[in-house]
Amino acid sequence: MDSINTEIESFIAMSDIISLLNMSSGFLSIICSINNNFELSAILMIIAIMFDSVDGWVARKRNRQDDLDFGKNIDSLSDVISFGIAPAIFIFSCINPAHGIFQTIVILVSLLIVVCGVLRLTRYNVIAGKIETDDFIGLPIPCMSFIIATLYLSGIFNPVSALILSILVSLLMISNIRYPKFDNIPLIGISVILIILLILPINLTIYNINMAGLLLLLFCLHYLIINLIKR
C-alpha cells in the first residue's frame, strides 16, 4: 500500500474532469432549485447528463488504465449528486408543499429518489465486470433527472404526475429489468438537436408547450415503457 502514489494528480484523468463537470452541473442545479430558479435547474440537470454521456467515451478513446477504479468511483459519486440529489431537491423545492400529509409524501418521494439512486449505483459498481451483459440492469439513473427536467421544461409539469413518475423511475432503477444501451444513432442525433433547441433561448412553444421538451420526455418514457412491457 505504501508504494501507491497518493498525490491527487496521479489519479485524475481527462474523463474524471468531465465527471467533475457533471457533478458541478448537478450541484449548481441544486442551488438553483433552492433559489426557485427551476428552469435553469432543469437545464443544468440536462447538461450534467451530457457530461455523463461522454466521460466513459473519453476514457476509452484515451485508453485509460485505471487499476484502482478511481474513475468508476468518481463517476458514481458524481451521478449521486446530479441524478439522485439534484432531482430530489428539485421535486421538493418545485412542489414546495406548505404542511400536512402532502408535505410528508413529497419528502418521502424525494428521499426515495436518493435511496434508490444510491442502491442502483452501488449495485452497478459491485456487479461491473462480473456479469456478461451489454444491457443496463435496472433503469439507468440519468433517466431520473432527464424525465424530471424535460417534464418541467416541456410546460406540462404537474405535482401529482411528477410524484408518480418519480416513484416509478425510482423503483425501476433498482429493478432487475434489462434496459439496452443507447445505440440508435439517428435517435441519438435527433435527441442532441432537441436538447440544443431546449437549452438555448429558442421559442418552440405551441399552446404553452415546449415541443422540444415534450418530444425528449416522450422519447425517454418510450424507452422506459417499451422495455418494461418486453420483460
Side-chain angles (χ1 to χ4, degrees):
M1 182 68 181
D2 293 337
S3 62
I4 296 177
N5 183 357
T6 57
E7 296 289 340
I8 193 66
E9 58 267 21
S10 68
F11 293 94
I12 297 178
M14 179 62 68
S15 55
D16 301 325
I17 294 174
I18 297 174
S19 293
L20 289 174
L21 290 171
N22 160 20
M23 179 274 296
S24 299
S25 301
F27 175 77
L28 293 174
S29 173
I30 293 169
I31 297 298
C32 289
S33 290
I34 294 173
N35 290 328
N36 295 326
N37 190 345
F38 300 115
E39 182 175 353
L40 182 55
S41 176
I43 290 173
L44 284 165
M45 280 193 281
I46 292 177
I47 290 174
I49 294 171
M50 296 173 70
F51 282 127
D52 181 63
S53 65
V54 300
D55 57 1
W57 178 83
V58 170
R60 290 189 296 272
K61 285 296 181 180
R62 296 177 69 89
N63 295 316
R64 183 185 184 187
Q65 300 299 316
D66 189 20
D67 297 332
L68 298 176
D69 288 336
F70 183 86
K72 181 171 73 174
N73 280 283
I74 198 171
D75 180 60
S76 292
L77 291 170
S78 297
D79 287 355
V80 167
I81 294 172
S82 297
F83 313 132
I85 299 175
I89 297 296
F90 183 95
I91 285 294
F92 179 78
S93 299
C94 189
I95 296 176
N96 194 21
H99 52 76
I101 186 64
F102 190 56
Q103 183 184 57
T104 302
I105 292 172
V106 175
I107 291 173
L108 290 176
V109 172
S110 300
L111 179 60
L112 180 69
I113 293 172
V114 178
V115 169
C116 290
V118 170
L119 288 173
R120 197 249 181 262
L121 290 167
T122 305
R123 178 177 64 179
Y124 173 81
N125 286 345
V126 169
I127 66 176
K130 298 180 177 64
I131 296 180
E132 294 184 7
T133 179
D134 292 328
D135 298 332
F136 297 110
I137 298 179
L139 189 68
I141 188 172
C143 289
M144 175 61 76
S145 283
F146 195 81
I147 287 175
I148 296 302
T150 54
L151 179 66
Y152 184 84
L153 293 173
S154 66
I156 61 172
F157 186 90
N158 172 274
V160 175
S161 61
L163 290 173
I164 292 173
L165 280 173
S166 296
I167 294 171
L168 176 62
V169 173
S170 296
L171 296 178
L172 287 176
M173 286 195 300
I174 60 172
S175 73
N176 210 41
I177 299 173
R178 303 292 180 99
Y179 281 86
K181 294 186 177 179
F182 312 107
D183 56 3
N184 188 322
I185 301 301
L187 186 57
I188 291 174
I190 293 172
S191 298
V192 169
I193 294 172
L194 289 173
I195 287 173
I196 293 172
L197 293 174
L198 183 62
I199 63 179
L200 291 178
I202 299 174
N203 187 5
L204 291 175
T205 59
I206 300 177
Y207 297 111
N208 294 321
I209 296 175
N210 186 299
M211 299 311 296
L214 179 62
L215 287 173
L216 287 167
L217 174 62
L218 292 176
F219 285 168
C220 196
L221 290 178
H222 176 267
Y223 175 77
L224 183 156
I225 294 170
I226 197 68
N227 291 287
L228 184 61
I229 294 174
K230 288 180 179 178
R231 182 170 185 257

